[in-house]
Amino acid sequence: MNQSNVQPQAQEGVKLHPISLYLKVWVLLFVLSTLSYLVDYFQLQGGLRWSLILIFMFLKAGFILAIFMHVTWERIALKLVLFLPPLAIVVLIVMMAIEGDYTFLNRLLSFISS
Amino acid sequence: MKENMPPTENRNTEQKNEDNWQGVVRDWSADKQTFDMPWGKLMMWIFLLSDTFIFSIFLTGYMNVRMSAMDSWPNTSEVFALTIAGHHIPLVLIAIMTFVLITSSGTMAMAVNFAYRGDKKKTVYFMAATALLGALFVGMQAFEWTKLIVEEGVRPWGNPMGAAQFGAAFFMITGFHGMHVSAGVIYLAVVARKVARGDYEKKGYHIVEITGLYWHFVDLVWVFIFAFFYLW
């Protein structure tokens, strides 16, 4: 893989990155996956488990989006289209969490009273 | 950034390279296409955005039923454990599936790169490798489903390990993701064949990047399913 000494003829209007960049990200994703698997393997619990799982998840998702899907090199106009609408999902998650707790409490109450 | 623009627009270079908030206003207000990319790529992005909403709604629904379930939720670490060579390893099948999918994402990224370099042969090889890894993932998922249905007795309406909602959430979420992977394998095979035939020699190889976007998205979704469904 000595692509570096051959000047690649990129398609017009496309920015080329070295293959080594993708290999590095791939190794990084592998390491992050292993770490999140180890969280389960060593049966970490509570807040530590929560935060570690979320940190590794967001790091992995970030690298896939930024490098593999080339979002880093896209214009802001596209980034806005990709990242603004999902804010509605955050609202949905919060509302469904509230609703889930409410359902649980009601089930608990009817369980106690019956 | 500068080299990233398709050379179709007749804007002056000064405007073209400005990627800041004024650039956003200019992109949206100027008398030209707003998104500086092939239309197929933009359509794929919009499709993936809509898919993001569908997967998010499934995962949110799963969160909701899990929070409101009265019975205890099955311990996924144990449900997906395997005994390999006499060793009982928790969640190992899902871990291997994760590594397979991430590796396929890596080979896909390289296929895109080689496509833009004009290296047709390597592009086809890497796309084929990606498709094979995807097929391997689906195969392992079939094994996972079979084990769960036949040996553990999990059904969409109940299971012997605890909350009945577990089965519904499991088959819905992993089934929908598995369907995406299967479709992706076919998509990859079709595009790889067309690349090999030389169909894109004149049109350019943006199609490989567009296919790649779909494939990386499938991997991206798995990152969230792995975290929320299997590790939680």
Side-chain angles (χ1 to χ4, degrees), chain B residues 75-229:
Chain B
N75 180 4
T76 44
S77 182
E78 277 309 311
V79 174
F80 301 102
L82 282 185
T83 305
I84 300 172
H87 295 280
H88 180 77
I89 315 171
L91 208 69
V92 66
L93 179 64
I94 308 305
I96 297 170
M97 283 166 75
T98 304
F99 290 129
V100 167
L101 209 58
I102 278 179
T103 305
S104 79
S105 225
T107 53
M108 188 67 230
M110 287 188 249
V112 175
N113 200 281
F114 281 121
Y116 281 142
R117 282 167 202 270
D119 194 335
K120 221 168 74 178
K121 214 170 159 190
K122 276 191 183 143
T123 306
V124 174
Y125 283 154
F126 274 109
M127 287 183 89
T130 309
L132 282 175
L133 287 164
L136 178 63
F137 179 90
V138 177
M140 291 169 81
Q141 194 167 52
F143 172 77
E144 179 199 18
W145 276 49
T146 312
K147 185 171 171 283
L148 227 59
I149 295 168
V150 177
E151 285 174 32
E152 322 274 348
V154 177
R155 299 288 181 272
W157 52 86
N159 65 84
M161 291 99 72
Q165 293 91 329
F166 175 78
F170 172 79
F171 291 117
M172 192 76 179
I173 293 168
T174 64
F176 198 61
H177 180 264
M179 192 188 81
H180 273 75
V181 180
S182 308
V185 169
I186 297 166
Y187 184 23
L188 275 167
V190 170
V191 174
R193 185 166 172 271
K194 281 169 78 72
V195 170
R197 278 202 318 210
D199 286 10
Y200 302 112
E201 221 108 276
K202 287 205 183 86
K203 277 188 252 175
Y205 285 94
H206 282 292
I207 183 73
V208 183
E209 189 185 1
I210 295 168
T211 315
L213 285 180
Y214 177 88
W215 192 260
H216 295 311
F217 177 79
V218 169
D219 187 28
L220 184 68
V221 168
W222 185 254
V223 170
F224 289 91
I225 296 176
F226 182 54
F228 290 128
F229 196 86

Side-chain angles (χ1 to χ4, degrees), chain B residues 64-75:
Chain B
N64 181 275
V65 294
R66 183 162 174 174
M67 285 177 83
S68 57
M70 296 286 281
D71 298 320
S72 66
W73 200 259
N75 180 4

